[in-house]
């Protein structure tokens, strides 16, 4: 999940939680307040009714009717119950068919009043000591607060609609601020895509933030790291350039002198074998140096010069011919049975010298590790790429070694005394990567290896 999405979800979720909490708080306490006020009205009504019954005087009669008229609209859904209570006890002579528990009556008699809510119906009981009669009086007022319930429904609708609007606004605001906060990071990512081994002099620009904030500090630290890396890479490039002259020239001289000495000596001469060994090892060392220099330069530059359209089948013919010249005993079969009649579909835009080296390394490996079996080179053309497949039936690569086949100087554990330097496959992969081609290897130990190269057209 992207950081922007996480910010939006987190901010929106927290805001919704607080909005819902506030809405529930307002709704609950409003409901409680309305209910309490309605209880007070019922209590006042019960008090007036009780005083009217107990005192029965003209003044209270007038107050009774005025209050009844005043609260008529609110208390019209209920009625009053008059219960006689045995003095100094909690015994009710005739108990009405009401939903209250026994404890409600006891509480009203002991404490003077009691409240109870059943569904939407509210009940308030007020106890009166009646000195004019043999029994005391308990007045129960019943009512449904239609006005309060209507107010509560209106409030709940207002709170819910307000919460939905607020949630939508919060989501939009969180989206806006997430974008605004992450714009510098997006700009940094865009600049980073322009930096590679051949553009180490590129530096990030702080376009949005203060130099002293976290983003500014990050950019400054990154640029400082790039300065150190640039110096280090240039030092390595300088070393490689010097090594190119310092190593290749002596090796060429050693190889040339050894060849001349071999031509001057008879094979029976006691020094012939030693000089021949020197000549072979010098040639191997020169090959290693050349591969290392080519690998390093392609890794540093990440550039391909002298690209041109070539026919891939003709390049493979040249690679086969060279391999046969170097190793006459190798058996290579070119399978071009699936190539199209349109020759232009075989064209690829590459550096022919680099591709020649890459395919030569792969084919050489297939012949060396193929145990003198036939190596098959097949070619197929697709809509978006040309596929070359080089297959051998040799020793294969052990499963545990396959994750390391593209490591420099790595050789499989089953190669035995077969000569190699562990650079050919690495160099080939680097060349194909530079051209946007894909190199895939499938191998089973003691059954053979299949190398597939997909070259974009």
């Amino acid at each position: 999940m992207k950081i922007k999405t996480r910010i939006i979800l987190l901010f929106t979720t927290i805001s919704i939680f607080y909005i819902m909490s506030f809405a529930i708080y307002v709704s609950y306490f409003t409901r409680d307040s309305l209910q309490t006020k309605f209880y007070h009205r019922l209590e006042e009504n019960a008090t007036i009714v009780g005083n009217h019954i107990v005192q029965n005087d003209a003044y209270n009669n007038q107050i009774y009717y005025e209050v009844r008229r005043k609260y008529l609209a609110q208390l019209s859904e209920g009625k009053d119950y008059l219960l006689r209570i045995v003095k100094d006890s909690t015994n009710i002579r005739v108990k009405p068919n009401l939903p209250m528990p026994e404890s409600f009556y006891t509480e009203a008699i002991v404490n003077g009043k009691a409240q109870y809510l059943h569904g939407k119906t509210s009940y308030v009981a007020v106890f009166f000591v009646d000195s004019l009669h043999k029994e005391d009086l308990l007045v129960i007022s019943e009512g449904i607060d239609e006005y309060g319930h209507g107010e509560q429904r209106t409030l709940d609708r207002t709170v819910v609609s307000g919460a939905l609007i607020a949630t939508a606004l919060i989501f939009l605001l969180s989206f806006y601020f997430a974008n605004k906060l992450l714009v510098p990071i997006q700009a940094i990512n865009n600049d980073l895509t322009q930096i590679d081994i051949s553009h180490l002099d590129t530096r990030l620009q702080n376009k949005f933030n203060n130099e002293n904030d976290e983003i500014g500090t990050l950019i400054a630290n990154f640029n400082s790291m790039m300065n150190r890396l640039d110096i280090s890479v240039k030092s390595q490039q300088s070393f490689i350039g010097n090594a190119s002259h310092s190593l290749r020239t002596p090796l060429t001289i050693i190889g040339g002198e050894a060849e001349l000495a071999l031509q001057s000596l008879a094979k029976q001469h006691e020094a012939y074998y030693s000089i021949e060994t020197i000549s072979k090892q010098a040639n191997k060392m020169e090959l290693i140096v050349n591969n290392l220099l080519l690998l390093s330069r392609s890794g540093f530059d990440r550039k391909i010069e002298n690209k041109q359209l070539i026919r891939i089948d003709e390049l493979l013919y040249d690679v086969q011919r060279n391999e046969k010249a170097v190793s006459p005993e190798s058996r290579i079969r070119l399978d071009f049975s699936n190539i199209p009649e349109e020759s232009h579909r075989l064209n690829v835009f590459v550096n022919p010298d680099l591709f020649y080296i890459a395919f030569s390394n792969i084919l050489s490996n297939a012949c060396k590790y193929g145990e003198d079996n036939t190596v098959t080179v097949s070619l197929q053309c697709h809509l978006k790429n040309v596929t070359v497949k080089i297959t051998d039936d040799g020793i294969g690569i052990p499963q545990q070694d396959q994750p390391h086949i593209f490591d420099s100087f790595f050789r499989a554990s089953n190669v035995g005394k077969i000569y190699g330097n562990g650079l050919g496959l690495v160099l080939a992969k680097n060349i194909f990567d530079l051209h946007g081609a894909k190199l895939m290897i499938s191998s089973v130990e003691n059954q053979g290896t299949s190398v597939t190269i997909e070259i974009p057209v």
Side-chain angles (χ1 to χ4, degrees), residues 27-45:
S27 179
Y28 173 79
F29 282 100
T30 301
R31 188 185 303 274
D32 184 69
S33 176
L34 290 172
Q35 185 63 45
T36 301
K37 289 179 180 179
F38 190 66
Y39 278 144
H40 284 318
R41 296 191 187 100
L42 288 176
E43 184 179 344
E44 290 174 352
N45 178 77

Side-chain angles (χ1 to χ4, degrees), residues 263 358 410 437:
Q263 293 176 9
F410 177 82

Side-chain angles (χ1 to χ4, degrees), residues 55-63:
Q55 297 180 11
N56 197 21
D57 55 20
Y59 175 74
N60 280 321
N61 282 341
Q62 182 181 357
I63 294 177

Side-chain angles (χ1 to χ4, degrees), residues 212-269:
N212 296 323
D213 65 9
E214 289 80 359
I215 298 295
T217 302
L218 174 64
I219 292 175
N221 289 336
F222 180 84
N223 287 338
S224 177
M225 180 193 70
M226 289 301 298
N227 289 333
R228 297 191 298 270
L229 183 60
D230 192 17
I231 294 172
S232 176
V233 169
K234 286 180 179 178
S235 299
Q236 292 185 45
Q237 287 177 321
S238 177
F239 168 78
I240 290 173
N242 294 331
S244 174
H245 295 287
S246 301
L247 294 177
R248 293 174 69 179
T249 302
L251 287 174
T252 303
I253 293 173
I254 292 172
E257 293 296 327
E259 289 292 335
L260 288 175
L262 287 177
Q263 293 176 9
S264 304
L265 294 175
K267 290 186 179 181
Q268 293 78 17
H269 196 281

Side-chain angles (χ1 to χ4, degrees), residues 327-346:
S327 303
E329 71 280 1
S330 60
R331 292 185 289 175
I332 303 171
R333 184 175 71 90
L334 297 179
D335 179 11
F336 292 165
S337 58
N338 292 320
I339 63 175
E341 295 181 0
E342 303 89 346
S343 60
H344 68 273
R345 295 183 60 186
L346 296 170

